[in-house]
Amino acid sequence: MISFDPKAVAADLRTLRDFIRYGVSRFTAAGVSFGHGTTNAFDEAVFLVLETLHLPIDQLDPYIDARLTLAEREALAVLIEARVETRKPAAYLTNRAYIQGIPFYVDERVIVPRSYIGEILFSDMIGGADFALIDDPASVERVLDLCTGSGCLAILAAQVFPNAQVDAIDLSEEALEVAAKNVADHGVEDRVTLLHGDLFAPVKGQRYDLILTNPPYVDAEAMACLPPEYLHEPDMALAAGADGMDIVRRIIAEAPRHLVDGGGLLCEFGTGREILEEDYPNLDFLWLETAESFGEVFWLTREQWKRG
């Protein structure tokens, strides 16, 4: 077996273009899996190279043919090989993930954030002139983020709703340690309160204008055959029972008691739309569309629960 020699790789490759091509070749040959912020070998290689070199991840062209220092080349060679050998997502290797272009610290204490809710928060669905879930972002005073993980959605909510106080809950104390770092890094300690507990337990009796949640929703069959990349993520952030809807059902059952009149729940739940429609025939779910999904996020208002 030939051992990996980063110095040999660094001697042969010179530019960003070289390392991106090399990364695509290594990832493709090794059959690595994607889905943690990228969907293919090229995007994964670009992210890993640009993030490692502290370059803007959305500005490849100005740097594509730039020659790299020996230290930079060796660092990239090591990380590309680590991506193949460990099967860790690039976000864990760089300790960085992005939602709507905003950076967040991540490590293996939290799931790599990749929620469609981030896109919705920054779309016309919030404060848009025509159709909007929330007409006036400035009117939102209290937001709850369930299963906050890295804290990214809570932090985004603090940016989108300028007058809101945000409570963010997670069952994992380790995840809350990561969230605390992100809250501090983004300077929103006075706006975002992190709470430890099981779903709504830490906020018993409290009501909110908006509840956000991207809970675990992977079913047992999918959990049994996850690619190696996903096995680096906390199991409790993924697994949600036989059909993946165990936690979503609990949230649907409890959320109305924690919403003010006119308040709503924005929940990402994966591909279980048919399950929810069968379980709750009297609830008028609004299935939302994003750039890469349809019907994987729903919106329910307190009034819809009353009518259902």
Side-chain angles (χ1 to χ4, degrees):
M1 182 177 178
I2 301 175
S3 61
F4 169 69
D5 182 359
K7 293 186 181 299
V9 174
D12 288 338
L13 306 177
R14 298 287 178 175
T15 67
L16 265 75
R17 188 189 300 272
D18 291 339
F19 276 94
I20 290 169
R21 196 283 309 159
Y22 174 71
V24 171
S25 296
R26 288 291 291 129
F27 299 159
T28 302
V32 303
S33 295
F34 310 103
H36 295 86
T38 67
T39 59
N40 56 73
F42 176 77
D43 289 345
E44 187 91 343
V46 169
F47 171 82
L48 193 58
V49 168
L50 292 178
E51 185 63 35
T52 300
L53 296 177
H54 308 289
L55 295 172
I57 62 166
D58 58 351
Q59 295 182 25
L60 175 60
D61 288 349
Y63 309 102
I64 187 69
D65 290 313
R67 294 186 60 171
L68 307 178
T69 68
L70 177 60
E72 289 172 333
R73 300 197 315 262
E74 289 183 359
L76 286 173
V78 168
L79 277 178
I80 290 170
E81 192 66 18
R83 177 66 181 89
V84 170
E85 293 300 321
T86 68
R87 298 302 170 103
K88 290 183 180 181
Y92 286 151
L93 295 172
T94 61
N95 296 124
R96 186 73 65 198
Y98 291 81
I99 301 288
Q100 293 298 295
I102 298 171
F104 297 95
Y105 174 88
V106 295
D107 61 33
E108 288 167 88
R109 291 173 289 179
V110 296
I111 193 172
V112 177
R114 47 191 181 272
S115 176
Y116 298 129
I117 292 176
E119 178 184 337
I120 291 170
L121 289 176
F122 282 81
S123 75
D124 286 343
M125 290 188 227
I126 306 297
D130 297 323
F131 165 79
L133 305 177
I134 296 173
D135 292 326
D136 181 11
S139 70
V140 175
E141 296 179 353
R142 299 199 71 198
V143 176
L144 175 62
D145 177 26
L146 292 175
C147 308
T148 194
S150 61
C152 59
L153 292 183
I155 293 165
L156 294 181
Q159 297 183 17
V160 171
F161 305 106
N163 299 320
Q165 290 294 316
V166 183
D167 289 339
I169 299 172
D170 206 284
L171 186 58
S172 167
E173 291 182 330
E174 288 190 335
L176 290 173
E177 292 171 359
V178 175
K181 174 174 173 53
N182 282 317
V183 167
D185 287 348
H186 287 271
V188 289
E189 298 100 321
D190 61 332
R191 304 272 315 284
V192 177
T193 301
L194 300 175
L195 301 167
H196 175 246
D198 184 15
L199 294 183
F200 295 96
V203 291
K204 185 176 181 180
Q206 299 188 50
R207 293 181 182 271
Y208 297 86
D209 301 288
L210 173 65
I211 299 173
L212 305 172
T213 184
N214 181 20
Y217 54 73
V218 181
D219 63 46
E221 182 178 355
M223 285 296 298
C225 56
L226 285 174
E229 281 79 359
Y230 291 82
L231 300 180
H232 289 282
E233 296 185 295
D235 183 88
M236 68 183 293
L238 298 171
D243 64 4
M245 293 292 105
D246 283 5
I247 297 173
V248 174
R249 288 189 184 94
R250 290 181 56 199
I251 292 170
I252 291 174
E254 298 179 47
R257 296 193 294 273
H258 294 277
L259 287 170
V260 301
D261 288 339
L265 167 68
L266 190 60
C267 175
E268 181 172 336
F269 64 97
T271 57
R273 175 175 174 175
E274 292 183 0
I275 296 172
L276 294 183
E277 288 180 328
E278 182 176 345
D279 285 356
Y280 305 97
N282 296 322
L283 277 182
D284 187 19
F285 294 97
L286 177 60
W287 311 108
L288 301 178
E289 182 177 2
T290 69
E292 297 181 359
S293 76
F294 178 73
E296 295 187 44
V297 181
F298 68 75
W299 170 257
L300 276 175
T301 66
R302 187 165 187 260
E303 285 66 32
Q304 286 170 310
W305 266 286
K306 290 179 180 179
R307 291 194 296 268

